[in-house]
Amino acid sequence: MDVLNDKNTSIIGIWGMGGVGKTTLLEEIRRQAGEKKLFDMFFMVTVSQTPNFESIQQKIADMIGLEFTEKTPEAKAERLRWRICEMLKEKKLLFLVDGVWGEIDLEKKVGIPYGENYKGSRIVLTSRSRDVCDQMGCKPTYQVEGLNDDEAWGLFKGIVGEIVESADRKHIAKRIVGKCGGLPLAIKAVANPLKEKSLSHWEVCISELKGQNLKSVVREALQFSYDYLSKPYAKEMFLLCCLFPEDEVIDIQDLFRLGLGFGLFQNTTTLDTAMAEADVLVDYLKSSSLLLESDREGSVLMHDVIREFAISVASRDKHLFLVGTHQEFICWKRNHAFTRCTAVSLQIDVVPEFPYEWECPELELLKLEGKDKQPLVLPSNIFKRMEKLRVLSMTDIQMMSLPASFEDLKSLRTLCFYKCLLKDISIIGELKNLEILSFCDCDIEELPKEIEKLTNLRFLELTNCKNLRLVPSSVICNLSNLEGLYMRSFSQWKVGKDNASVEDLKKLSSLVALEVCIPNDNLWPDDLVFRNLTRFKISVGDAFYHEDEHLFSHSSKILELKTNTTFKEGFNMLLKIAGVIHIEGTNALHNLNEYNSPLLKCLIIKKCQEMKYAIDTTKSAPLIVFPLLEILEICDMDNLQELYLGMLLRESFGELRKLILKGLPQLMNVWKNPTEHASLQKLRVLGVSCCHKLKSIFSLYMVRDLVQLQEMKVSQCEALEYIIDGERNGDGHENLFPQLNRLELENLPKLQRFMSSLNALATSANCGSGVLEPFFNNQVAFPSLKRLTLSSVPKLMHVWENMDGPPAHVSLQNLISLDIGYCDTLKNVVSCERDKTMAAAEEIEVGRNTAEVIIFPALETINFHNLPNLTSFFARNGTLFDEKVAFPSLKELNLYGVHKLMHVWENMDGRPAHVSLQNLFSLDIVDCDTLKNVVSCERDKTVAVAEEIEAQGNTTGLIIFPALEVIHFHNLPNLTSFFVENGTLFDEKVAFPNLKQLKLYGVHKLIHVWENMDGRPAHVCLQNLISLDILECDNLKNVVSCEKDKTVAVAGEIEVPGNTTGVIIFPALKMIYFRNLPNLTSFFAGNGTLIDEKVAFPSLKQLKLYGVHKLIHVWENMDGRPAHVSLQNLISLDILDCDTLKNVVSCERDKTVTVTGEIEVRGNTTGVIICPALEMIHFRNLTNLTSFFAGNGTLFDEKVAFPALGSLELGVLNNITELWSPQVQVESFCQVKTIVVEGCSKLLQIVPPRLLQIGIETITVKRCPSVKSLFVLERLAVDEREASLTFYHLKYLMVCGLPKLEYIFDKKVSYPAMQKLWISDMDGLRDIWQTQQSSGSFHQLEGIHVERCHKLLTVVPSYLFPELQSLKRILIEYCDSVEVIFCDDSGQLLPATVTLPHLQYISLHHNPVLGSFCHHKCDFEWPSLRKVRLYGCPKMENFPFANMKAPRLERVVSDSTDNEITGDTSIVTGDGFSDKCYYGDECDRFNSRIHTCIIN
């Protein structure tokens, strides 16, 4: 665990043979790291031998709430990496990656960033091979070896029992355990079969364990366990599990379907008993340690070692299972293995070349698993020779039609499609013997009518088929043998004349399992009653939403009703047998007496406004009510007064675990009578909210029953005065909630105390004098409490009472998190009215101080929000923590809006005031108006918490925060310093050796951040600093004070020729963000240059400067290296709103500096300033900037080089006339991909000729009034001008607001990669294409968007038609002069038939003179056209339907019509250019590697 905390560790490797316990160790790491709060989030994923990266990406995305819109794994990886990078700014993340078989780039393939750039990210991976760990760069690596003798014996004994200690067995047991070699997998495999077995079985076991090495031992142990499977079909069920991909969660329902089709469960007569038998077999295999529990309900896992064993068993003898990937498939074909096999499971990574016919006369089961719904075309005769095939399963495959030989599968019993895209499947109707048909998570629009011919069908599943619109009525009616019907995603009951109705379900007399969702109770026939259902999930009414889907795991009989009418007979029947009931919105339900079923496990009642009492026994003898109910939720019922009225017997609610009461404004009591009338001893979770008549939650009698209560949340109860109405006297205390670990009390305006008592009445009478008894007095204690939240409790003045004895503080010993907010009257957390303080756990010896200290020994997090009257934690002196309180485990301290606070810690001669500092990790102080210092500076002597840092000539001790990594100060207008009031935040009296993030926002009295001292102390904070953000600090002049002559080298001096002055180094600093610092003149020296030779940032990757108005230069141009050592790792440079900036690098010296070497420039021996890693530049509103280096109006000349620059974004640079000089070398900017230029008034051109071919993909130019041409060709030599130039990589071009530009494309430049063209607000544009273009220029063009170009007459010339075969979208909007879209030009007529095969969308808006598509009549053939929008084009009266072939056209929308066209209803996403655009801060660039994406 210590290695996980090491800042220099990024990826840790754990290796060992299969079955040794690597996964178990990984789970234990997760548990312990969670308990110690080492990380904020944990992600555990399994890679396996054939990784499914998209599945891993989706699992991580689900955990962080990320929805992918990207389609490719690479794009998803980039999106996931960006999100994780954003999270790493504030959180620490641990990724547990199990089962790595080979080297994988987790960052590129999955999107998990790691390495020195991401200190908050840790990866722990497991592998069977140390070599793999080494290839992955794991440091350190650990080998997992087997259990020692005692551990192995303990595991074996724990499974088999005490019988191992008997005289006749102990020696055999010892030998068996010894044979297992300490491998947990082997021990479990042999131990489980030996439970309750005779001695002879033990002797057989020892004789069979003969292995000479650990691998053979594991195999023999598993063989022994397998051989001892005695239940019928257990071995077959076990072998079926190996057909699923490695490490995949196996759904028990999937196993059941495969098993039933494969001939298992033949001794069962109904589908229901077969399902039950499958459940029993799975439990049996789990108890035999051959299957593992899964986190997902209703599913299991198979260990990869056990799967390997199962495959080997299944591949021999009579079974002959073939399990593999595309590579194995090729070998099978060569070896003719198909001819003998009985089962094949094939994972298809690439579409294989299937043989025309498979010679598989013995094949009974075929399982094909694809990827990403890849298209699969099967030969028509592929199933011709599969006469015995009984089970066919296909996953993640796209099939337009099923092969003709499908009808030859006469023996097929089970047909399953999972996550498939299916079109024509009508041939399924020929499979007359089919019994199970499943479409799960499939993209299917209608169930073919031919399914009605499957009269032997017993099971039909249409789960989660979200696009299903048609289920023919005849299909349901004719499937009279159907026992299981699952179609919850279908909602079109009785929609249209052909769709099925709920009435049709009456024809299914054999039905025992049903899952349906009926949108309206009126669709349910009055006489529809299901008397034989044993499994059901039926929803009637609008869609139901459940925050906790785990509710459904409580039963296989679930009923959800949303109806305003009296329950129909069919509903009443189901209500009496259901295990989970959710009733909402009915006025016919007066109480729940009638549905008091002993089978009920979960009951949710909402919006039943006629109900006054949930249970009413006043007219009957006392009842046992809901004896097995585990969850009860009653919500949003305006008239409910009591949960029950009358008498209940003791067994009532005996199993209740969770009780939620919400939105019950008339509820008078949570539990009215003493609990001898009902038992709540098993209640673990209680939630009460919006119950405005409640004055208390519990009576004292009731509380004594709540011995297992673990979580309690009470909120928004307007009249609540006490949690416990404790009507008794006395000073003794009780552990009333011994198991309570979480308590949340929020928005309770009248809450006075946790518990009322007679002896508190006198105290409360003194409220007028300002004395109020603390919230928790000496009568209640919570020995297990870990998390306490108090929010918006306005009458709260103190939380705990300061007592002489332990009762008031017994709640503190396990408290981990304390969150108090919006408590306006809170003065102290612990009452300070008594003289004597109390130590909860121990006394801390403090010099001559014998006073006892209140200790919170386990408290890790304190959050105080908006507490305007809080003066201190204990004493009323304006200092939060003094010597009377201690928090030895405190890691996070967050103070927001604590307005009377002057200091956080008191500066004492002894240790107590600072014992809270030793483990502090994060300090966040926001909106504390009166805060002057963090540590009080009123005493002379300072305290060293851990040690003194020796400083030359300085013997003064330091206040050290040894673990502090994050400091965030926001809006602290009176803060002058951390310790001494001198305008400098950190001086020589404080040290933060592990500080990584410092953010200062709105600290207006700050003049300097660090003091410049002759010795080291003032700079000890710098050595690990990674991120420095300073924002809105009006008076800041320098980051480091420049008032002393001598500077300090933290890590050593950088040798500078002729310069012996030390340099202040920030060795780990990667990000600097300065914003709105009007008086900042420099980092160190006040000369208008931010970074000079006195400071260095060798690790700097991102620099952001916004609104630093006195800045003239960023870097100083020195003869030596120091001023530029900050450039070598720089990735991103953002400079915005710096009015006085003239150059980025000062050009006042003659000699320039090369950071990594000189770039040879012809005829130029001057060194070049190189930023070798710089990927992105963003300059905006730099009105005085004349150049990056030389002040001549050219941004980049030959003196600078950025060979890694990918994105350049410029805006409002009014003194720049050209971006690059003609002399610039191609290799200096060889990686530029994106250029965005906006509002540069003097700019004349964009890209010089020599940079045309460097790989630019995206160009956006907006509002540059002086630009006459995008690409200046006149600077080329005469012979060069005659040659054609090719812009090989340009994909996207957007031009907007360039009034002097008359045309876009010159004939001398071709654009073979152009995909999208956007032109708008071009007042001078007359032609898009000046003259005929060279062949191949626009053959990839997909979209043309033209708007507000008022001099433009036509759009597309005729000669371009052969090039536009990829065109998908055309948008012409607000173009006053455009008459035709397609024009005949240069004497070349349009063809008689204009064919654009991929055109999908046409939009014509407000084009007043647009009359037609072309000058002369021709036919249009647009086979992919889906949608046409035609607005404000009065001269184009009709869209040309008469001479247009558009078979897939769905909709034409115009000024007066909105016509939906019948035909193919495939959906086109997006209107026009739906690609998302990102500019500037919108993309919120990655923290370390920055990419600006203008168009996806």
Side-chain angles (χ1 to χ4, degrees), residues 157-173:
K157 181 179 177 180
I159 296 172
V160 176
E162 289 296 330
I163 195 172
V164 298
E165 298 288 352
S166 63
D168 60 337
R169 301 197 188 215
K170 187 169 184 178
H171 69 288
I172 299 178

Side-chain angles (χ1 to χ4, degrees), residues 630-642:
E630 296 180 11
I631 297 176
L632 175 61
E633 294 188 16
I634 303 180
C635 306
D636 302 321
M637 294 169 60
D638 295 343
N639 296 302
L640 189 77
Q641 297 177 13
E642 302 283 355

Side-chain angles (χ1 to χ4, degrees), residues 146 208 235 249 311 352 558 571 628 639 770 987 995 1056 1058 1079 1239 1295 1304 1390 1435 1459:
E208 291 188 2
K235 292 180 179 179
V249 176
I311 290 173
I558 300 165
F571 298 162
L628 299 179
N639 296 302
D987 62 4
L995 187 65
V1056 182
N1079 286 295
V1295 291
I1304 306 295
L1390 285 167
K1435 291 192 176 183
N1459 298 320

Side-chain angles (χ1 to χ4, degrees), residues 129 136 430 494 771 811 935 1347:
S129 168
M136 293 289 293
E430 302 303 318
K494 217 171 181 179
V771 179
S811 308
V935 179
E1347 63 180 27

Side-chain angles (χ1 to χ4, degrees), residues 770-788:
V771 179
L772 187 65
E773 186 172 292
F775 188 73
F776 298 114
N777 57 23
N778 66 322
Q779 293 183 306
V780 291
F782 313 100
S784 301
L785 189 65
K786 293 183 177 180
R787 286 175 171 79
L788 174 62

Side-chain angles (χ1 to χ4, degrees), residues 7-8 10 114-121 995-998 1022-1029 1066-1073 1096-1104 1126 1129-1133 1486-1490:
K7 61 178 183 286
N8 296 317
S10 62
Y114 65 98
E116 63 175 16
N117 299 333
Y118 311 98
K119 292 296 186 182
S121 174
L995 187 65
K996 294 180 180 178
Q997 296 180 29
L998 175 61
L1022 314 184
Q1023 58 195 17
N1024 290 302
L1025 192 66
I1026 293 174
S1027 174
L1028 175 61
D1029 292 9
F1066 291 72
L1069 190 63
K1070 294 177 181 177
M1071 178 178 174
I1072 295 176
Y1073 181 20
F1097 313 97
S1099 301
L1100 188 65
K1101 294 190 174 183
Q1102 188 171 1
L1103 176 61
K1104 293 183 177 182
S1126 311
N1129 290 302
L1130 191 66
I1131 291 176
S1132 172
L1133 177 61
F1486 300 164
N1487 196 25
S1488 55
R1489 280 184 59 85
I1490 310 299

Side-chain angles (χ1 to χ4, degrees), residues 1117 1124 1127 1145-1146 1152-1155 1157 1159 1167-1171 1188-1189 1198-1202:
N1117 175 29
H1124 302 287
L1127 308 182
V1145 178
S1146 165
T1152 57
V1153 181
T1154 306
V1155 176
I1159 295 179
V1168 177
I1169 298 175
I1170 307 176
C1171 297
F1188 196 93
F1189 178 63
E1198 69 276 12
K1199 300 287 189 179
V1200 293
F1202 311 122

Side-chain angles (χ1 to χ4, degrees), residues 627-790:
L628 299 179
L629 188 69
E630 296 180 11
I631 297 176
L632 175 61
E633 294 188 16
I634 303 180
C635 306
D636 302 321
M637 294 169 60
D638 295 343
N639 296 302
L640 189 77
Q641 297 177 13
E642 302 283 355
L643 291 186
Y644 67 91
L645 187 65
M647 301 293 288
L648 303 180
L649 294 181
R650 180 70 176 172
E651 293 84 355
S652 298
F653 298 102
E655 295 294 324
L656 193 65
R657 263 80 166 167
K658 182 177 181 179
L659 175 62
I660 302 296
L661 305 173
K662 179 181 179 181
L664 311 177
Q666 300 299 321
L667 185 68
M668 304 296 292
N669 300 284
V670 172
W671 213 256
K672 185 176 181 181
N673 295 323
T675 51
E676 57 263 24
H677 300 294
S679 173
L680 296 178
Q681 291 186 359
K682 294 187 177 181
L683 189 68
R684 296 175 183 174
V685 179
L686 174 67
V688 182
S689 63
C690 300
C691 299
H692 300 308
K693 285 196 174 181
L694 283 179
K695 292 192 174 182
S696 65
I697 302 296
F698 310 113
S699 67
L700 190 59
Y701 300 101
M702 180 184 177
V703 167
R704 289 177 180 143
D705 237 6
L706 302 177
V707 292
Q708 292 193 35
L709 190 67
Q710 297 174 5
E711 297 182 19
M712 186 196 320
K713 181 174 181 179
V714 184
S715 64
Q716 294 179 286
C717 297
E718 294 177 354
L720 194 73
E721 297 179 359
Y722 311 103
I723 302 300
I724 302 173
D725 185 5
E727 297 177 356
R728 71 185 190 90
N729 204 348
D731 294 327
H733 79 283
E734 295 187 23
N735 292 340
L736 296 176
F737 298 97
Q739 298 297 322
L740 189 69
N741 61 63
R742 180 186 291 268
L743 175 60
E744 298 181 22
L745 305 174
E746 300 177 353
N747 293 302
L748 304 172
K750 293 187 178 180
L751 186 66
Q752 299 178 24
R753 289 184 299 281
F754 191 83
M755 179 176 177
S756 69
S757 59
L758 293 176
N759 67 322
L761 296 180
T763 304
S764 61
N766 295 324
C767 292
S769 60
V771 179
L772 187 65
E773 186 172 292
F775 188 73
F776 298 114
N777 57 23
N778 66 322
Q779 293 183 306
V780 291
F782 313 100
S784 301
L785 189 65
K786 293 183 177 180
R787 286 175 171 79
L788 174 62
T789 299
L790 301 170

